[in-house]
Amino acid sequence: MPDPLGDVRKWAGQPVTETPIKGGLSHRIARLDAADGQRWLLRVLDPRVSAAGLGIPLDEEIANTVHAADAGVGPRVLHRLPGALVLEYLDGVTLDAHTVRTLPGPIAAACRRLHAGPRFVNDFSIFRKLDEFLTLCRTHELDTPDGYQDRLATAAEIERALAADPLPKVPCHNDLLPGNFIRCGTEVRIVDYQLSGNNDPAFELGDIAAEADYDPDLTTRLARAYFGTDDRRLTSRVRLNLIMSNLTWSLWFAVHHGLLKEQAAAADFDYEAEAADKFSQAVRDLDDPGFGRLVDDVRGASTGFPPPAPPR
């Protein structure tokens, strides 16, 4: 097995100690402290994750991490190793869901910086990812939340509505759970590009809202902060993507639990419960009486809204 820490010591030319960081559910993360006081982050990429469809190929993740750093949002890549990265250590505060709910403006600003940066080396679609997960579940006879199949026709309806007037694809993180935001002074930085790819910016915002449990009013504030306009068509686009985030990522946890049992056990995390919780939130929003209006808003039915402006 490769010895990333040994390679780091050779690169650094001095003793280096490793302190594991808990939080990631897929890869090994550690803080590195060098004898001369320098501090870095080690990210060791587990190839089983991308092989199981739970992340993009490792070479693409590494390339996108470099591009995100060039955009001034991701940590700088200091050294590349086979299957691992030595990254700038962001000396800040890792956000939680409550804090993400208090910072729609800085969160939107961080997304705009990322989205305005160099394009990523791959594209991403939450709908194609849903198709991939369903295929994996069928192939490996993995359990899905009860009633999941009954919601697939509505997911297809959402895809058609969003495709009627698409936004330009931009480099997106696509997995912005609160722990992937680091507050460094007045700025918010973004880490962990495991599922990154060029995508609809409204999915980025909807995913943030899903992961941090935004209510509709706060989701509207996030959309307004990002797009710079109070346009119900754009807000409804974000809210439909919030639903797709919960619906699709519920299967991420089901696949992870089913295909990476050893890794899942080591993480001390209830993947099945998380899958059920995300699906229940998707069902809540799909069954809401206002769901049909969201679809109509995005299609522009009876609204007279102009086409949405591209993100700034």
Side-chain angles (χ1 to χ4, degrees):
M1 292 289 291
D3 177 19
L5 190 56
D7 289 340
V8 170
R9 288 176 177 138
K10 291 178 184 176
W11 165 73
Q14 60 182 306
V16 175
T17 59
E18 175 185 19
T19 303
I21 294 178
K22 187 174 172 136
L25 296 176
S26 298
H27 299 302
R28 170 183 155 200
I29 311 295
R31 189 188 75 216
L32 302 178
D33 291 285
D36 66 359
Q38 293 187 79
R39 179 171 287 178
W40 310 300
L41 189 84
L42 176 66
R43 181 172 172 83
V44 182
L45 306 176
D46 189 335
R48 295 175 297 175
V49 174
S50 57
L54 299 167
I56 60 176
L58 299 189
D59 60 339
E60 294 182 359
E61 179 177 346
I62 291 171
N64 290 350
T65 301
V66 173
H67 288 326
D70 290 342
V73 181
R76 288 180 294 120
V77 178
L78 304 177
H79 186 52
R80 298 187 222 186
L81 302 163
L85 293 170
V86 179
L87 300 167
E88 170 191 11
Y89 184 83
L90 298 178
D91 191 9
V93 178
T94 301
L95 302 189
D96 57 18
H98 169 75
T99 308
V100 171
R101 288 194 293 271
T102 68
L103 297 171
I107 293 292
C111 290
R112 283 200 304 269
R113 291 199 307 275
L114 177 65
H115 297 174
R119 289 188 68 77
F120 286 158
V121 299
N122 62 300
D123 289 337
F124 179 94
S125 163
I126 196 64
F127 298 99
R128 302 294 73 77
K129 184 54 69 175
L130 174 60
D131 292 341
E132 290 176 29
F133 286 154
L134 285 170
T135 298
L136 286 169
C137 289
R138 291 165 184 153
T139 300
H140 298 280
E141 298 182 344
L142 305 179
D143 292 335
T144 58
D146 290 341
Y148 198 95
Q149 299 291 326
D150 299 336
R151 303 293 174 165
L152 296 181
T154 308
E157 180 184 7
I158 293 174
E159 181 175 14
R160 288 191 296 271
L162 294 173
D165 190 10
L167 295 180
K169 287 186 176 182
V170 296
C172 288
H173 184 284
N174 300 315
D175 187 28
L176 281 175
L177 48 88
N180 285 334
F181 289 112
I182 311 291
R183 191 172 191 180
C184 302
T186 59
E187 268 194 346
V188 173
R189 306 281 293 276
I190 298 173
V191 301
D192 184 356
Y193 291 84
Q194 176 180 322
L195 286 156
S196 54
N198 304 308
N199 193 16
D200 182 342
F203 176 76
E204 192 92 287
L205 304 181
D207 184 62
I208 294 167
E211 297 289 359
D213 295 323
Y214 277 31
D215 62 23
D217 287 343
L218 190 52
T219 303
T220 297
R221 286 177 57 196
L222 179 65
R224 185 188 302 129
Y226 178 88
F227 289 109
T229 183
D230 193 8
D231 187 331
R232 193 168 70 232
R233 192 171 179 182
L234 290 171
T235 299
S236 295
R237 188 178 193 90
V238 172
R239 290 180 62 187
L240 289 181
N241 274 292
L242 182 160
I243 295 171
M244 288 308 305
S245 170
N246 280 325
L247 191 64
T248 304
W249 295 144
S250 65
L251 290 191
W252 188 96
F253 289 96
V255 170
H256 200 298
H257 176 77
L259 296 187
L260 299 180
K261 292 183 181 296
E262 179 182 343
Q263 193 190 61
D268 190 26
F269 183 85
D270 194 335
Y271 288 77
E272 289 182 301
E274 188 68 14
D277 180 62
K278 285 189 175 297
F279 181 61
S280 69
Q281 292 183 58
V283 169
R284 172 201 65 198
D285 292 335
L286 289 169
D287 289 344
D288 188 279
F291 170 74
R293 181 56 190 265
L294 298 180
V295 174
D296 288 345
D297 284 348
V298 169
R299 286 175 173 157
S302 304
T303 63
F305 291 152
R312 297 185 299 171

